[in-house]
Amino acid sequence: MAAYQLAQQALAGEFAARWAEALAAVEARDLADSLTVLEAEYAAAIRESAAASRVLSVAFYRLVRALATGRVIGGPGYRPGASLGSLWADFNRATGKRTGTGPREPLPVDTRNPFPAEDIARETDRVEETFRHQVADRVAKHERERKGSAALDDAELVAWEREFLESLKTGSAGAGGMLVQDGGRDVIHTALQDDPGALGYYRKTDSSPCHFCALMASRGAVYKSKRTAAFGAHPHCHCQAVPIFSRRYQLPAENGRFSRMWRDFGGGSLADWRTYYSKTTKT
């Protein structure tokens, strides 16, 4: 569903806007002395948006499952007497848009809870590692380079600092946005593995995916197993896993197009595929 993907993308955008505002409040020369404050803001922004991503993914999974099977799954957010109408209402609330509605008759219930509990320690470690690589290490390197920038005139120095800040913002926002959406993607993947009624998923890309995401989408439906538990998202990636619960499903047209492109490619390295994909999508 496009509404789900757009809502997840919007959550990453909300994080990025909040983080950009925090960075804009600090001068480049003061970044090294502001890392503690910036890390706290980075972590808080990711945590809040990732929590919303998880709520959205639970509502999405429960709705898609009910539409395919006629049954509602338990777990967080489940309310006795849930119907397709109430599940649509939950999903609409999570996306902030009215995207659908349904009847109010209560659905049969599968009481199993396949949704994972929030792993705060793991998520904290991931945020700390991301901040260190994307911000702290880069700021330290920039500080060392600044000592050798005495030969730059004022205009060159301003341009150099501006370029660094923009690069820092882009890299850290992309990596943080991935963590935000991983909050929801992890919910989907864990639920798929723990829900006996789930068959697998397919990868729904955005309108202009990179070569890697197009390749992953070309596989079509991926049926669940330990081997397929990982999704393979990356910074600035807005792909989502759409769960499937029946053999009667329809892939988006893009997946079929990427599958045909892969067959026409004929095989080779990932670098070869990247070149082929770039040339093909530009024509």
Side-chain angles (χ1 to χ4, degrees), residues 189-253:
H189 267 280
T190 301
L192 284 170
Q193 299 300 316
D194 293 342
D195 181 357
L199 298 180
Y201 72 93
Y202 64 82
R203 191 185 191 98
K204 176 73 171 66
T205 69
D206 59 18
S207 59
S208 55
C210 70
H211 70 290
F212 173 79
C213 292
L215 176 58
M216 294 298 99
S218 76
R219 298 186 299 170
V222 179
Y223 298 100
K224 69 179 184 180
S225 69
K226 291 182 179 179
R227 186 177 62 83
T228 61
F231 186 72
H234 58 80
H236 302 290
C237 174
H238 299 300
C239 294
Q240 302 296 334
V242 178
I244 54 176
F245 302 92
S246 167
R247 300 284 177 175
R248 299 172 60 186
Y249 61 85
Q250 185 172 359
L251 292 171

Side-chain angles (χ1 to χ4, degrees), residues 8 19 58 137 160 177 200 218 228 262:
Q8 289 286 13
W19 173 235
V58 169
D137 290 351
W160 180 66
S218 76
T228 61
W262 176 252

